[in-house]
Amino acid sequence: CVAENRKLGLSWSKKAAADAEAVAAISCSGHGRAYLDGLVLNEKGFPVCECNSCYGGPDCSELSPACAVNAGSGDPYFLEPFWRQHAASSAVVVAGWHRMGYSYSDNTYMSQELEKRVRILHSIVGNAVTAGRYIVFGAGSTQLLNAAVNALSTDNSSMPAPVVASIPYYPVYKTQTDIFQSINYKFEGDASLWKNSTSDATVNVIEFVTSPNNPDGQPNKAVLSGPNAKAIHDHAYYWPHFSPIPTPADEDVMVFTISKLTGHAGTRFGWAIIKDKAVYDRMIQYMDLNTMGVSRDSQLRALKLLKVVIEGGGREIFDFGYKTMRDRWQKVSETLSKSKRFSLQKIAPQYCNFFHKVRESSPAYAWVKCEREEDRDCNAVLQGANINGRNGSVYSAEDRYVRLSLIRSQDDFDLLFQRLNKLV
Amino acid sequence: CVAENRKLGLSWSKKAAADAEAVAAISCSGHGRAYLDGLVLNEKGFPVCECNSCYGGPDCSELSPACAVNAGSGDPYFLEPFWRQHAASSAVVVAGWHRMGYSYSDNTYMSQELEKRVRILHSIVGNAVTAGRYIVFGAGSTQLLNAAVNALSTDNSSMPAPVVASIPYYPVYKTQTDIFQSINYKFEGDASLWKNSTSDATVNVIEFVTSPNNPDGQPNKAVLSGPNAKAIHDHAYYWPHFSPIPTPADEDVMVFTISKLTGHAGTRFGWAIIKDKAVYDRMIQYMDLNTMGVSRDSQLRALKLLKVVIEGGGREIFDFGYKTMRDRWQKVSETLSKSKRFSLQKIAPQYCNFFHKVRESSPAYAWVKCEREEDRDCNAVLQGANINGRNGSVYSAEDRYVRLSLIRSQDDFDLLFQRLNKLV
C-alpha cells in the first residue's frame, strides 16, 4: 500500500483532498449542498447545508409548503448536476504557492493557456469569430461592460457619450453606468429615441445590445447605425443551452461570461472579443487600473472548467444544458398556454449550426405578461401563488411583465412549475 | 490497500491532486517553479518552468551573468518558501460545483467565515481596530482604493473633490483616479499644497495616506485635517514583516491586502475597514456594480491562507517574514553605508506590540538616493551595474531616487546584493 500510495504520488495534497471529499459527501438530502467555506454552526465543526429555496432543516429535508419559491435571481444552478457528474475532471488542487506574483510568464495579467481555450471553445461552438481578434478578461462580464463603455467613450469630449439600450434591458447597464459618474459618458435609456441622433452627432452613442436578450430571450440587433454608433454586444446567453447558433457573431465588441456557459457565476470570469486595437488597449488599461486583472485563482479554475467543456467537442455540456432548458421551457409554455390570463414571449426557431438542426430557443427566463386589464402588477399576482419573480419595471418595461428564472436548481424549477400549474 | 484508500476517502479528487503534485515536483533547479496553468511547450505536455530573473533554460539552471536583475516590481515572492514549507495546510481542493451561484447563504457576496478570520487576524497582530467596524472585500486593495474615493466624494457637488497624496506616493493613486474621469473627484497631486484649503472648503478633500509608505517605508500620517479632510489609509505594508506595530490603527477608512501579508498578489484579495455606515454602504454598492463582489474562488483561497496565518497566533509567518526582510535590509544598509555615492532612507525604530520589543523597520523597498551632483538619473547609474529599479519620478519624486524591491525571490535579492556590492 505504501508502494500504491507512492504510485499515486500523493503527499501534501491528501489532507485538502480528504477535506473536500468529506464536505462533498454531506448529502443535504439532495435539496442543498455544503461548501468548504460554508458557515460552521454545528458542534462537529462541519459546514452546514445550504438549501434550495423552500427547503430547510439541518439536512435540507424539510419542505415549507407555504414558502415563496425563488424565481427571481439568475443563479445558474441548472448546471450543478453536470459538474457533480464530472467531479474528477473538473476538480482543481491549488497549491499554497500557486501564482503568488502579479504576472504570468509573458508579463501580462492574462493566462495564455486560458485564452487559447477560449478561442478553441468559440470555434467548436461556432458562436463567435475570434481569428485576428483581441481578447480581454474580466471579473465576469460585469466588469467588462464598464471597461467597454469607458473604452468607447472619448476623453475630454464636448459632451458625455449617451449610453443606451433597447427596452426591456438588463438593469446593470444603467446602474453601473450611473455609479461611475463619468465626464465621458452618461446613461440615457431607450436606444430607439437616439435613432436620428447618430448621423450628425459629434460624439459616440454607445448601445448595449443583448443577444439573446435578458429578460426576453430575443435575438436582438443593434438599433443604431452610422459612424458614431458604437455597440457593445452582450452575448452572455449566446450558447446552445439557450439559443440556436445560426452564425458566429462578428461584432466589434462582444462580451461573454462563464456564468451562463458553465454555470459558475461565483467564479467571476468573463471575456471580451475586440476588433480594434485602440479599444483593446483602453480596455486592458482599465482592467489593470481597476483590479490589476482577474484573480489568477479564477483563471486557473476557468481553465479547468473550459477543458471539460471543450472535451468531445462540447457535446456533453451543451446536450445536458439544452435538454434541461428545453424541458423546462416546454413545461412552462404548455402550462401557461392553458390560460388566457398569462402569455409568454415567442421566439422564432432558427437553424442551429451546433446541433445541425432547426431548433427553438430554450431561454433562460420566462418573460410573462399578465393579460387582464386589472393585473397591472403581474409579480403581485404571482406572489399570490407563492412565486417570487422580478418586476418588469426592473427591466424598464411595464409591471404587467414579470421575469421568471428558469436556470436555477431542479428543486426551484419543480416548485415553480407546480405553483404555475395551480395558478392557471 | 483498498481499505486504506477508503479510510483516506479519496475518489474524485485523486486525479487533480496527482496532477498538482506532479507539477509541484518539477524542481526547476530551485531557481523557478512550474504551475498547473503554465505554458505547455515541451513534448510531454508538462508545464514549463518559469524562472527567477536572470535564470533560464528548460530547468532554470542557466544563470546569465550579464543580465539585468529585476528589482523593479513588487511581486512578493519572499514568502514563497514559507508556503512550500506549509504545503499540506495551505492547499485547497476546489470541487467542480463549488459556489456556482452569486451569493453566500446570507445573500451577500462576502464569505462570513472569511470576514471572521480577517477580524481575528487583526486582533492577533494588533495592527487595526475592527470591533464595531464594517468590512468590505475587494479584488486586491486596488479595487478598494477607487471604491473608497467614490464613497468619500459627493454626487452632484459644485466641484470635483480633490484627491491628493504626499510625495513620494504610489503611482496608482493618480493613474486609477484619472482613468475613471469622474464628475465627482479629480487627482490633484501633492497633499501639502491643500493644507489651507480644507477648513473653508465646501467639498471634501480626499487624501491617500500610505503607512508605512510605498516607496520609502515611512510611517506617514495625514497631512490634511478639518471637517472636510477625508483620508484613505492604505496599510498594505502595516504588517510585522515590514514594520513595528506600535498601536492598532483606528482611522475612518483603512485598506489592507493579502498581497503583502501572505504574498499572494495574484489572488487579488483585499479588504477595507470602515467606521461610517454610509461610506460602507456606498463601497458595497460600488463592489456590487463594478464586479458583483470578489471571486468566490479567491475568497475560498484567502480563507485557507488566513487559517494558516492565524494558527499559533501568527508567530510562524511573521517570524519568517520579519527575519527574511530584516536580513535583506541589514545587508543592503551595510553595503550602501560603505559608499558616499548612495544613501538610503532612515526610519526611526519603535516599540512593536506584536514582537514585544523595540525594533527597526525592515521595509519592503530600498529608497536609494544618488548623492553625486551629476547622478541626476539614479536608475541609469544602477542599470550600469545591471540592476533594474524604478525611477523616483514614478513616485512623483526626483529621478535622483530609485526604488529597489526587496520582497522578490531570494535569487533576485542575492543577485541584487551581489551587484550592489560590486557597485559601491
Side-chain angles (χ1 to χ4, degrees):
Chain A
C1 194
V2 172
E4 187 67 15
N5 265 348
R6 206 172 280 151
K7 198 182 150 202
L8 200 66
L10 294 190
S11 63
W12 54 266
S13 67
K14 259 192 274 188
K15 173 73 170 64
D19 286 351
E21 295 211 6
V23 169
I26 303 173
S27 81
C28 305
S29 310
H31 300 299
R33 72 292 294 160
Y35 294 120
L36 267 179
D37 56 359
L39 288 185
V40 178
L41 290 179
N42 62 21
E43 59 286 347
K44 284 181 183 164
F46 253 47
V48 298
C49 284
E50 302 187 14
C51 308
N52 292 328
S53 57
C54 297
Y55 287 86
D59 63 350
C60 302
S61 62
E62 298 158 23
L63 177 63
S64 306
C67 138
V69 66
N70 183 348
S73 83
D75 295 288
Y77 287 118
F78 77 106
L79 286 163
E80 195 183 48
F82 177 85
W83 294 107
R84 286 191 179 266
Q85 287 158 23
H86 293 77
S89 52
S90 62
V92 186
V93 173
V94 190
W97 60 92
H98 177 76
R99 293 251 175 246
M100 295 177 65
Y102 288 100
S103 306
Y104 291 88
S105 59
D106 61 351
N107 283 320
T108 72
Y109 297 157
M110 287 172 48
S111 159
Q112 281 184 51
E113 288 293 318
L114 180 52
E115 186 179 331
K116 261 189 241 168
R117 293 316 189 294
V118 166
R119 291 178 189 273
I120 292 169
L121 170 71
H122 284 298
S123 79
I124 284 171
V125 177
N127 65 340
V129 173
T130 64
R133 304 291 182 273
Y134 302 97
I135 289 184
V136 184
F137 293 166
S141 52
T142 313
Q143 191 181 19
L144 293 162
L145 299 176
N146 189 252
V149 168
N150 189 291
L152 294 174
S153 65
T154 316
D155 290 340
N156 309 314
S157 75
S158 55
M159 64 170 275
V163 179
V164 301
S166 288
I167 294 170
Y169 58 79
Y170 178 52
V172 171
Y173 300 146
K174 173 178 161 51
T175 51
Q176 186 187 69
T177 304
D178 283 352
I179 202 174
F180 286 108
Q181 295 269 307
S182 174
I183 293 167
N184 300 332
Y185 51 80
K186 189 168 190 296
F187 193 80
E188 296 283 4
D190 189 2
S192 62
L193 303 176
W194 291 80
K195 266 189 185 169
N196 299 323
S197 318
T198 50
S199 55
D200 59 337
T202 53
V203 349
N204 288 341
V205 180
I206 300 168
E207 180 184 0
F208 279 113
V209 182
T210 321
S211 184
N213 194 35
N214 173 7
D216 64 6
Q218 299 298 338
N220 280 354
K221 303 268 175 227
V223 162
L224 306 180
S225 58
N228 295 310
K230 305 286 174 186
I232 299 166
H233 280 82
D234 182 342
H235 287 310
Y237 299 89
Y238 195 43
W239 297 105
H241 309 314
F242 311 111
S243 169
I245 306 294
T247 179
D250 190 21
E251 296 103 1
D252 290 353
V253 176
M254 303 188 278
V255 177
F256 290 87
T257 167
I258 62 164
S259 170
K260 302 302 181 294
L261 161 64
T262 68
H264 292 81
T267 291
R268 312 307 308 133
F269 181 76
W271 61 95
I273 304 173
I274 308 290
K275 265 188 197 169
D276 183 61
K277 174 77 158 61
V279 172
Y280 163 76
D281 287 341
R282 276 176 73 102
M283 286 184 73
I284 286 284
Q285 194 197 12
Y286 182 101
M287 296 304 309
D288 291 359
L289 290 173
N290 186 191
T291 57
M292 295 196 184
V294 174
S295 166
R296 316 316 178 244
D297 302 341
S298 299
Q299 294 190 47
L300 174 65
R301 189 151 186 235
L303 176 64
K304 193 77 184 253
L305 297 169
L306 289 195
K307 282 181 183 173
V308 178
V309 169
I310 287 167
E311 237 166 69
R315 291 304 301 223
E316 270 204 272
I317 192 167
F318 294 119
D319 278 351
F320 180 93
Y322 170 49
K323 277 178 193 156
T324 305
M325 294 309 302
R326 186 191 55 189
D327 176 66
R328 294 181 180 188
W329 181 246
Q330 282 175 348
K331 283 181 163 165
V332 168
S333 305
E334 274 175 35
T335 293
L336 291 182
S337 70
K338 290 177 202 155
S339 157
K340 283 188 176 158
R341 190 173 181 188
F342 304 101
S343 67
L344 202 56
Q345 81 261 43
K346 284 182 182 43
I347 308 166
Q350 278 186 286
Y351 188 80
C352 175
N353 269 304
F354 182 76
F355 286 127
H356 304 295
K357 63 176 183 186
V358 175
R359 55 162 284 205
E360 292 199 55
S361 283
S362 40
Y365 308 106
W367 184 237
V368 176
K369 187 181 178 187
C370 280
E371 295 284 351
R372 285 188 196 157
E373 174 62 29
E374 66 270 27
D375 288 347
R376 279 177 203 90
D377 185 348
C378 194
N379 204 21
V381 173
L382 292 172
Q383 277 164 347
N386 281 329
I387 296 168
N388 268 340
R390 276 204 189 145
N391 293 336
S393 57
V394 169
Y395 306 92
S396 300
E398 289 175 61
D399 276 338
R400 186 171 289 288
Y401 290 89
V402 173
R403 190 191 84 163
L404 298 180
S405 177
L406 306 179
I407 58 177
R408 299 181 54 81
S409 70
Q410 195 61 39
D411 275 349
D412 286 0
F413 178 77
D414 290 345
L415 267 183
L416 168 65
F417 182 58
Q418 204 182 89
R419 284 165 188 189
L420 281 177
N421 271 304
K422 270 194 204 156
L423 182 67
V424 299
Chain B
C1 196
V2 171
E4 187 67 15
N5 264 349
R6 207 171 281 153
K7 197 181 150 203
L8 201 66
L10 294 190
S11 63
W12 55 264
S13 66
K14 258 193 272 189
K15 173 74 168 62
D19 286 352
E21 294 211 7
V23 169
I26 304 173
S27 81
C28 304
S29 310
H31 300 299
R33 74 289 298 158
Y35 293 120
L36 267 178
D37 57 358
L39 288 185
V40 177
L41 291 177
N42 64 19
E43 59 285 348
K44 284 180 184 165
F46 252 48
V48 298
C49 285
E50 302 186 14
C51 307
N52 293 328
S53 57
C54 298
Y55 288 86
D59 62 352
C60 302
S61 63
E62 297 159 23
L63 177 64
S64 306
C67 137
V69 65
N70 182 349
S73 82
D75 296 287
Y77 287 117
F78 77 105
L79 286 164
E80 195 183 48
F82 177 85
W83 294 107
R84 287 192 179 266
Q85 287 158 22
H86 293 77
S89 53
S90 62
V92 186
V93 173
V94 190
W97 61 92
H98 178 76
R99 294 251 174 243
M100 296 177 66
Y102 288 100
S103 305
Y104 291 89
S105 58
D106 61 351
N107 283 319
T108 71
Y109 297 159
M110 286 172 48
S111 159
Q112 283 184 50
E113 288 294 318
L114 180 52
E115 186 180 330
K116 261 189 244 169
R117 294 316 189 292
V118 166
R119 291 178 189 271
I120 292 168
L121 170 71
H122 284 299
S123 78
I124 284 170
V125 177
N127 64 340
V129 173
T130 65
R133 305 291 182 271
Y134 302 97
I135 289 185
V136 184
F137 294 166
S141 52
T142 313
Q143 190 181 19
L144 292 162
L145 300 176
N146 189 253
V149 169
N150 189 289
L152 294 174
S153 65
T154 316
D155 290 340
N156 309 313
S157 75
S158 55
M159 63 171 276
V163 179
V164 300
S166 288
I167 293 169
Y169 58 79
Y170 178 51
V172 171
Y173 300 146
K174 174 179 161 50
T175 52
Q176 186 189 69
T177 305
D178 283 352
I179 202 174
F180 287 107
Q181 296 268 306
S182 174
I183 293 168
N184 299 332
Y185 51 80
K186 190 168 190 294
F187 194 80
E188 296 284 4
D190 190 2
S192 62
L193 303 176
W194 290 79
K195 268 189 185 169
N196 300 324
S197 318
T198 49
S199 54
D200 59 336
T202 54
V203 346
N204 289 340
V205 181
I206 300 168
E207 180 183 0
F208 279 112
V209 182
T210 322
S211 182
N213 195 36
N214 172 8
D216 64 7
Q218 299 297 338
N220 281 353
K221 303 268 174 227
V223 163
L224 307 181
S225 58
N228 295 308
K230 305 286 175 187
I232 298 166
H233 280 83
D234 182 343
H235 287 312
Y237 300 90
Y238 194 44
W239 298 106
H241 309 316
F242 311 113
S243 169
I245 307 294
T247 179
D250 190 23
E251 296 102 2
D252 291 352
V253 177
M254 304 188 276
V255 178
F256 290 88
T257 167
I258 63 165
S259 171
K260 302 304 182 291
L261 160 64
T262 68
H264 293 80
T267 291
R268 312 306 308 133
F269 181 77
W271 61 94
I273 302 172
I274 308 290
K275 266 188 198 170
D276 184 63
K277 174 76 161 56
V279 172
Y280 163 75
D281 287 341
R282 276 176 74 102
M283 287 184 73
I284 286 284
Q285 193 195 13
Y286 181 99
M287 296 304 309
D288 291 359
L289 290 172
N290 186 191
T291 56
M292 294 198 184
V294 174
S295 165
R296 315 318 176 242
D297 302 341
S298 299
Q299 294 191 47
L300 173 65
R301 190 152 185 235
L303 176 65
K304 193 78 185 248
L305 298 169
L306 289 196
K307 282 180 182 173
V308 177
V309 169
I310 288 167
E311 238 166 69
R315 292 302 302 224
E316 270 204 90
I317 192 167
F318 293 119
D319 278 351
F320 180 94
Y322 170 49
K323 277 178 193 156
T324 306
M325 294 309 302
R326 185 191 56 189
D327 178 65
R328 292 181 182 187
W329 180 246
Q330 282 175 348
K331 282 180 163 164
V332 168
S333 306
E334 274 175 35
T335 294
L336 291 182
S337 70
K338 291 177 201 154
S339 156
K340 285 191 174 156
R341 191 172 180 189
F342 304 101
S343 65
L344 201 55
Q345 81 259 45
K346 283 179 182 48
I347 307 167
Q350 278 186 287
Y351 187 80
C352 176
N353 270 304
F354 182 77
F355 287 126
H356 303 294
K357 62 176 183 184
V358 174
R359 55 161 285 206
E360 292 199 54
S361 282
S362 40
Y365 309 106
W367 184 238
V368 177
K369 185 180 181 188
C370 279
E371 295 284 352
R372 284 188 197 157
E373 175 62 30
E374 67 270 29
D375 288 347
R376 278 177 205 89
D377 185 347
C378 194
N379 204 21
V381 173
L382 293 171
Q383 277 164 345
N386 281 330
I387 296 167
N388 268 340
R390 277 206 187 141
N391 292 336
S393 58
V394 169
Y395 306 91
S396 301
E398 289 174 61
D399 276 337
R400 185 171 290 288
Y401 290 88
V402 173
R403 190 191 84 164
L404 299 179
S405 176
L406 306 179
I407 58 178
R408 298 182 53 81
S409 71
Q410 196 60 41
D411 275 350
D412 286 0
F413 178 77
D414 290 344
L415 268 182
L416 168 66
F417 181 60
Q418 203 183 90
R419 282 164 191 190
L420 281 177
N421 272 305
K422 269 193 204 157
L423 182 67
V424 298

